[in-house]
Structures are given as structure tokens and as C-alpha cells.
Amino acid sequence: MALTDDAIARIRSMIQSGELPPGARLPPEPQLAAQMGLSRSGVREAVKVLESARVLDVRRGDGTYVTSLAPRLLLEGLGVAVELLRDDTLLEVMEVRRMLEPVATGLAALRMTDDQLDELSQILEDMRAATDDAEKLIQFDTAFHHTVIATTGNETLTSLLDGLSGRTLRARVWRGLIEGNAAHKTIDEHHAIYLALRARDQLLAQASALMHVNTSEAWLRTVLAATAAEA
């Protein structure tokens, strides 16, 4: 593991220094190992680790390349990690989302186009038509928030919030809302966000998003408490 860690650190250093920029092809394994003064097995394992992290792209029969290093690739693993978090830690995720999403929604109010707002309106209609269908609500809820945040033009922020709002988290919230007959109220909160965005009102959009995240967090606490009581 020490040799593998060393190889990972060396390859990362080459990427950070610009010696291996995005899209660059790595030297063949024997050459790279000799260049770094490390064993081929250590380099091979390091490449596997960095491929899993979406830093490297191994193309069979062609070679190994540095990826675009775009945030959506490098932060992709965040969503996987969130799906594996324990119940108490999910509340920490909601806390982080509460810190980021309202501000991002306020920024979106200044940047959304009319076409994007029309798209959001259609998603809202789809949500209202699927009030009692948790699976569809999860799908439309994901699309709604992704559409809003993506219009900020900040790919890092979009990737972070996509990762923090994983399917498991959304599923627990929406199933709790449906069982508690509160789905309509939460859809109305989405509508309030939409109206604030349509009005290009940054502060109102931020406040509406904060209220919505608080509602989601409250229902998640209710669902987790019920789960704990049943255990």
C-alpha cells in the first residue's frame, strides 16, 4: 500500500504541475515506473485507484489518459458516499445542503433564462400529477433542483449539490411526506421557489429555498425517528 500511495502521490503531482494536463496520455507502464523509480505493480495499482476516482481514463488497447478533470467527474463519488452514510450522518448532509442550496437558488434567480423557467414550470406540473407516486416525485424533484442549480453556471456547485441530494435521501423524505399527507405542501414550496425565480427576486428565491430545505430536513428527522423507534 505504501508503494501504491507513493505512486498515486507522484502521478497527482505530475497532473497538478501541468506535466500531465487534462487529456494527456501517460507514458507506458514500464516507462512511467522507471521514471518515478517505483515498481510496476505499485504504478499499476495507483492507476486503478485514480481510474476509480475518475482522474485517469484507461482505454484498453490505446493507453491511459488524464480525464478532463471536470468537477462533475471528480465529484461523482460524492453521491455514492452519501448513499452509504448512516442515518445520523444524513442529517449533517441536510445541514450542508441548507448552507448551500438557498444561496445557489438566489443566484439562479439572476441567471435563469425564460426557456429554463418554462422547463421548470413543466416539471412542476409533472410533480402535481404524481402527488401519490413516490418514485416519480423523486425523479421530478431531482430534475427540479438540478435545473435550478445548473443555471448558476457553476459546475462545482451543481456537482456538490447533486451529490448531497442522493436518491436514498430524497426517497426517505418523499415517502415520509406522502405517508404524512404533506406532499401537496412541499410541492407548493417548489412552486414558491419557481415564482420567486420567475420574478427574478434573488432574496425571495433564497428565502423560499431555505424554507423548502428546512421542511425536507424536518421530515427526514421524523422518518429517522420513526425508524429508530421501530428498531
Side-chain angles (χ1 to χ4, degrees):
M1 287 303 299
L3 290 176
T4 299
D5 290 344
D6 194 12
I8 291 172
R10 297 285 291 278
I11 295 173
R12 287 178 58 186
S13 178
M14 293 168 72
I15 293 172
Q16 289 169 333
S17 69
E19 184 178 348
L20 289 173
R25 181 177 181 178
L26 271 65
E29 184 183 289
Q31 181 182 335
L32 185 59
Q35 182 179 334
M36 295 192 298
L38 298 171
S39 67
R40 290 182 60 178
S41 61
V43 170
R44 189 178 306 119
E45 290 305 312
V47 168
K48 289 180 181 178
V49 171
L50 292 172
E51 181 185 19
S52 297
R54 307 302 297 271
V55 174
L56 297 179
D57 178 18
V58 178
R59 305 174 189 173
R60 308 301 174 191
D62 184 6
T64 300
Y65 295 80
V66 179
T67 67
S68 66
L69 303 179
R72 61 181 174 77
L73 287 177
L74 300 182
L75 295 173
E76 190 176 76
L78 177 62
V80 176
V82 168
E83 294 294 316
L84 298 175
L85 291 177
R86 299 175 64 85
D87 289 352
D88 53 347
T89 317
L90 285 176
L91 292 173
E92 293 185 6
V93 172
M94 289 299 294
E95 187 174 62
V96 176
R97 183 181 165 194
R98 178 155 36 90
M99 294 174 184
L100 297 177
E101 189 165 322
V103 176
T105 304
L107 181 59
L110 304 178
R111 298 184 177 179
M112 288 194 82
T113 66
D114 288 341
D115 286 343
Q116 289 165 335
L117 285 164
D118 290 342
E119 179 183 352
L120 210 58
S121 178
Q122 181 58 56
I123 294 173
L124 265 174
E125 290 184 22
D126 293 336
M127 290 181 76
R128 292 194 183 282
T131 306
D132 300 318
D133 189 328
E135 291 302 313
K136 287 184 178 180
L137 282 171
I138 294 165
Q139 175 187 338
F140 297 137
D141 183 47
T142 299
F144 182 95
H145 291 288
H146 175 80
T147 299
V148 172
I149 306 305
T151 60
T152 65
N154 188 320
E155 188 177 345
T156 301
L157 181 61
T158 302
S159 300
L160 275 173
L161 284 170
D162 280 348
L164 290 171
S165 303
R167 180 176 178 78
T168 297
L169 190 60
R170 290 183 188 278
R172 289 192 170 193
V173 171
W174 275 110
R175 288 183 179 127
L177 289 166
I178 290 174
E179 290 172 7
N181 296 315
H184 286 287
K185 180 177 181 295
T186 304
I187 292 173
D188 286 344
E189 290 176 1
H190 284 77
H191 188 233
I193 294 172
Y194 165 74
L195 291 178
L197 292 169
R198 177 68 77 175
R200 313 290 185 184
D201 190 325
Q202 182 179 13
L203 293 179
L204 183 57
Q206 183 171 332
S208 299
L210 178 58
M211 180 178 295
H212 170 58
V213 176
N214 281 342
T215 297
S216 298
E217 183 177 346
W219 275 101
L220 179 61
R221 288 183 184 277
T222 300
V223 171
L224 295 182
T227 302
E230 294 171 0

